[in-house]
Structures are given as C-alpha cells and as structure tokens.
Amino acid sequence: MDATVRNYLDQYGVSDATRRFLQKPQKMFIGGDWVDSSNGATFDIFEPSTGGLITQGPPGTTDDLDRAVAAARAQFDGGEWRRLKPLERERMLHRLADLLETHADELAEIEAIDMGKSVTFAREIDIQGTIDTFRYFAGWPTKLHGRTVEPSIPGNYLAYTRKEPLGVVAAIVPWNFPLQTMAWKLAAALAAGCTVVVKPAELTSLSTLRFAELVEEAGIPAGVVNIVTGKGSVIGAAMSTHPGINKVTFTGSTPVGQEVGRTAVSNLKHVTLELGGKSPVLVLDDADLASAARAVANGVFFNSGQVCDAGTRVYIQRSVHDAFLEELIAVARELKMAPGLDRDCYIGPMVSAQQKKVVASYIEAGVREGAKLVYGGASPEGPGHFIEPAIFAHCTPEMSIVREEIFGPVLVTSPFDTLEEAVALANDTPFGLAAAIYSNDLARVHTLIPQLHAGSVYVNAHSTIDPSMPFGGFKDSGFGKDLGPEQLDYLMETKAVWITLP
C-alpha cells in the first residue's frame, strides 16, 4: 500500500479490521485453501479516489481454475455438501448472513476503497442487499420439490418429477457491485445444492476475498465456494469451455456476454446472461416534477452512473419538458462529488482511469454530434478518476450518447408529444434491461407497461431491487434471471421418474 492510500485511510478513519485485511497478502480461495497463483505472478489493485496502490492480487491461471473446478466437482459429486439435509443447508446460509451482518461496516469500507463508491451507499445498499439475498435464499432449500402426476397412457404407473441441482456453477461477476452481484449468483446456487467457482472482476476483487474468509468461518464445507481472481480473458473464457462446469452465469457488457454465451452454448452448458442496458425513462405531463426529477437523477447518477439498468435516456412530454429539465439540473447541482470514504459522497470516482477516459470521450462525442450540454461533464483537476454528472438536451436517436451504453453519469433527454411516440422512442434500442415511467395516471401507466420491451419496469422510481423479485433483460440485455424463485429454475434439472406398478 502506498503512502497516498495510507493517508486517505487515515483521513477518513478507516477501521483497524479493514486495514488488517488490506495489508495482508491477497490469495485465492480454492478447495478450502488460500493459495497464490500457480505461476507466482501478481497484479496491482488501485484505489479510484486517489489513484494510489492498495495491494496486489494473484492472477489465476487455467491450472488454478482446474483445481477450483475439481474441488467444486468433488463436493458436488460425493462430498459433504451433497449429503446435507435441506435444513442443514438453510442453517449454514443463515450463519453466513449473520457473519455478513456482523462485518457489514468493514465490508462497506472495503467496497468503497476497492471500487470508489460511496461508503454510505455501500453499507445501505450493497452490503445490506447482500445480507438480504442470503437470508431470502436461505429459506428455499426446504421448499424445492417436484410433483406427482396421474398419467393418461394405458398401464399402471407411479410418475413423479424430481428437482435436482445442476452441478458446478461458474459465476463471472462485474466490477460495479462486486459483493452484491456475487451474492445474487451464489446464494441461489447454494440454496439449490450446487457448488460454485466465482471469478470476481480483476478491478474489484477485495470484498469477494474477504467474503471467502466468512464462508470459511461459517463452516461451509471446503470446495463448495471457490474464488479464482484474475483476468476475464483468461479465467472467464476458460470457464465457458471447462468440461467440469455445468452452468455459466455472467453479468457484464453485451459484447463480452455474447462471446461467453456462444462458447458456453457450443459446449452445451446452461447459461444466464445479464448484460448491458440503455434504459428509457418516460416523464408524463401529470408527473410530480420535483419528486420525479430527484428519482430520475438517482436512477442515472447513483454509483456514478456505473449501473447496468441506469435510466440514461429520458423522454419528457413536451408541455413539461423545460420545467422538468430545470428541476433535474437543480437536483444535479446538489449532488456532492467526493472520495468514496466521505460519508456525504454521492458522486464518487469512476472505477479506473480507463473508465474515466471512456466516459469523457462520450461527453465530447455528444457535444460534437450536436447535443446541448446543459449541465456538468467536466473532469476536475486533482487525484482520482472523477467526472461531473452530465445532462444533455436536444438529443436525437442516431447520436452515440443515445445509442450506446456509457456506464457513467451521463443523461440524455428529448421531448415527445404522444404516448405512441414515447413508446417508439423507448423501444428504439437493441437493449431491454429496464424502463421507468413517471406519472400519477394509473390508466396510462398500465397501458404503457406491456408496450415497453424491458425485463423490469419501474414506476415513479428506478432500480428498485428486492431478492424476491427477478432481475434480467430482454433482447441484447441477455436472458435468464437472477433473484426471485425464477432464478432457481435456472439452477436445477427436472428429472422425470416412471415406475411400472403391477
């Protein structure tokens, strides 16, 4: 850890527990053991608010992945995990949730330091969401069952179905919500009786490695949960072809997800893909403009815009367009840009210098293509990867800032006249992850909902997430679901059993 990061931790009074974790050598968790990369290499892990070096991590190799899959396979095929009764699995998941709750403040600090996000939001949303997800799925092991059937064919049969876990699940996790997205994939898989190999994002591996220590402390058998860090181009690609893996679940960009999906399907693996988005927001003329502006700003600027279902395209009914834009700009002015460990931070840094460069290039392209930058968009001088929230007006459908996922705090706006026009604008995208409607006219809201091509539709809010509700997209935003009972269907096989009776 360099002096810049040490001073940053001192300035904001980071806990001794977090410091101890960050200062020790980081290792992968494979088969219950803490191991270095098989080739002895390391990679640097940087802190986004200062740009300083936090620590180093081991870049996993395909040999490391082989070891992790072998450990997961052994547990699934004949280990202790497969023999546990449903109530025993439930108790273990609750024990893990208890440990997450005990260490919630420490995990929030690690997440803020590693990814740059607000430590306040990390505690309230990321870590609490992780705890809630494990508690929700802890209740499911005793409720997974098949059905009995009365066949109509001639003969005397006992016919029934069994629900059985798929096997070894490979979970490829993104960098924007490292721990929470990992929980989305891991909790359901464990509830169903699967074993898992997790590949966290190279940019944000630390909270997942701290989580693995809690998995060990919870008494979950060795090999049930394995963590292999490193590059997606090495580990993620190998997961898609590995013969010991039964399912790949991936959250990330659409181009990478397409390649993961093609490779996994060609190897006859089950696949869940939660990919990119360019989510539309419709603001109707009867909306409460002040509350809608606050919710819309939260829906695109939260986590510095690094959110897959962020409401980045806002279509405003023409009669309220100017008034709503004024409200939106006023809200944006209130959002505090600060280092992630600042308790009042709303806009933290981009996760990396490269991501800041990408976002800045889109802002430049928006201006160049003729959109009007009505607020923000500057890159402040000084340390860290910060970019001001940007709001564009007079945007047209062919502009790159309207068509492409930016993954930063950039909002584009346009007016519309009729609801038919609004629907056409909203659906004019290859993505279909989410959409939002702001209106107090329920007749119009319910008319619009089935017309929007999106996996989630939010009304008078954005990104409302609960473990009991499924999350996943349409079109180029992927297929399959995380969360909710629907997710369990993607983690189990259905076996048909026929018994001929005398």
Side-chain angles (χ1 to χ4, degrees):
M1 182 183 297
D2 67 22
T4 304
V5 176
R6 284 198 298 272
N7 292 338
Y8 176 52
L9 304 189
D10 291 342
Q11 179 183 355
Y12 289 100
V14 166
S15 69
D16 290 340
T18 298
R19 291 172 189 269
R20 284 194 298 271
F21 172 74
L22 296 178
Q23 288 169 351
K24 68 183 181 180
Q26 299 301 321
K27 297 177 182 290
M28 292 181 288
F29 186 61
I30 298 176
D33 295 325
W34 293 94
V35 299
D36 294 317
S37 175
S38 60
N39 64 10
T42 60
F43 64 89
D44 292 336
I45 301 173
F46 294 97
E47 194 286 313
S49 293
T50 63
L53 177 69
I54 306 172
T55 185
Q56 293 179 319
T61 66
T62 54
D63 288 340
D64 297 320
L65 178 63
D66 287 344
R67 290 176 56 198
V69 174
R73 188 85 256 162
Q75 264 296 348
F76 182 79
D77 288 341
E80 179 185 356
W81 186 246
R82 191 66 185 271
R83 296 193 298 271
L84 287 180
K85 298 297 184 183
L87 275 173
E88 294 174 308
R89 270 206 318 279
E90 178 178 328
R91 281 193 288 269
M92 282 191 175
L93 292 178
H94 275 303
R95 194 179 308 144
L96 180 55
D98 290 342
L99 287 167
L100 288 165
E101 198 154 42
T102 299
H103 296 277
D105 290 340
E106 176 194 350
L107 289 165
E109 287 182 336
I110 292 169
E111 206 76 304
I113 293 164
D114 198 19
M115 194 263 162
K117 65 174 60 202
S118 157
V119 68
T120 301
F121 290 143
R123 177 62 183 87
E124 294 174 355
I125 296 172
D126 297 56
I127 309 307
Q128 189 59 52
T130 299
I131 296 165
D132 291 346
T133 299
F134 275 98
R135 291 214 189 283
Y136 173 78
F137 281 108
W140 271 105
T142 55
K143 301 165 186 68
L144 303 175
H145 51 75
R147 60 192 177 95
T148 57
V149 178
E150 190 72 29
S152 296
I153 64 172
N156 191 17
Y157 301 99
L158 170 62
Y160 63 92
T161 65
R162 287 177 49 84
K163 290 289 189 180
E164 299 182 356
L166 274 177
V168 176
V169 175
I172 304 174
V173 180
W175 49 257
N176 57 334
F177 291 92
L179 199 61
Q180 189 174 16
T181 310
M182 183 274 300
W184 286 15
K185 300 183 179 303
L186 185 61
L190 298 184
C194 298
T195 56
V196 185
V197 179
V198 178
K199 197 214 81 67
E202 185 181 9
L203 288 171
T204 54
S205 301
L206 294 178
S207 61
T208 307
L209 294 174
R210 180 67 181 101
F211 168 81
E213 294 179 345
L214 301 182
V215 168
E216 191 174 30
E217 188 176 342
I220 292 174
V224 173
V225 177
N226 305 272
I227 313 294
V228 180
T229 54
K231 290 184 176 293
S233 58
V234 176
I235 304 303
M239 284 175 160
S240 299
T241 60
H242 201 291
I245 289 173
N246 301 96
K247 176 185 173 69
V248 177
T249 173
F250 170 88
T251 296
S253 71
T254 295
V256 176
Q258 288 172 328
E259 183 58 34
V260 168
R262 277 192 294 267
T263 307
V265 170
S266 69
N267 286 272
L268 298 180
K269 300 187 187 306
H270 295 250
V271 184
T272 293
L273 300 176
E274 194 269 280
L275 307 179
K278 193 71 177 176
S279 299
V281 176
L282 306 182
V283 180
L284 277 55
D285 55 11
D286 67 293
D288 180 327
L289 298 188
S291 63
R294 193 161 296 280
V296 168
N298 185 64
V300 67
F301 298 139
F302 172 70
N303 207 39
S304 301
Q306 299 167 124
V307 182
C308 56
D309 72 339
T312 51
R313 295 183 294 133
V314 180
Y315 300 108
I316 310 158
Q317 201 145 19
R318 194 176 300 275
S319 61
V320 297
H321 176 273
D322 293 350
F324 181 77
L325 204 54
E326 289 178 9
E327 293 277 2
L328 199 55
I329 292 169
V331 172
R333 292 187 194 281
E334 299 173 6
L335 304 179
K336 181 178 180 180
M337 182 184 296
L341 287 176
D342 186 321
R343 296 283 171 181
D344 297 323
C345 164
Y346 190 98
I347 302 290
M350 298 290 96
V351 70
S352 66
Q354 175 60 27
Q355 186 62 17
K356 176 182 177 179
K357 182 178 179 181
V358 168
V359 175
S361 70
Y362 272 108
I363 294 171
E364 293 167 2
V367 173
R368 188 170 60 249
E369 292 171 0
K372 183 178 180 182
L373 182 61
V374 295
Y375 177 79
S379 299
E381 294 183 4
H385 313 311
F386 292 92
I387 285 188
E388 289 180 346
I391 300 175
F392 282 95
H394 304 299
C395 300
T396 54
E398 74 282 355
M399 293 177 176
S400 61
I401 56 172
V402 177
R403 305 297 309 170
E404 299 172 20
E405 184 178 37
I406 299 173
F407 230 64
V410 180
L411 178 64
V412 303
T413 68
S414 300
F416 69 87
D417 293 302
T418 66
L419 294 188
E420 292 76 14
E421 182 187 1
V423 169
L425 288 167
N427 290 336
D428 183 19
T429 174
F431 298 107
L433 190 55
I437 305 167
Y438 290 85
S439 171
N440 291 310
D441 185 336
L442 288 180
R444 292 204 290 177
V445 167
H446 284 296
T447 300
L448 287 168
I449 287 171
Q451 298 181 64
L452 296 174
H453 302 161
S456 296
V457 177
Y458 310 116
V459 179
N460 294 329
H462 203 94
S463 295
T464 42
I465 302 293
D466 185 88
S468 65
M469 286 287 283
F471 184 86
F474 296 175
K475 302 192 293 187
D476 285 5
S477 291
F479 48 79
K481 299 294 180 184
D482 288 331
L483 303 180
E486 291 83 357
Q487 183 178 8
L488 295 162
D489 292 335
Y490 295 95
L491 291 161
M492 295 184 292
E493 295 274 25
T494 301
K495 179 179 289 182
V497 179
W498 290 85
I499 301 174
T500 305
L501 301 176

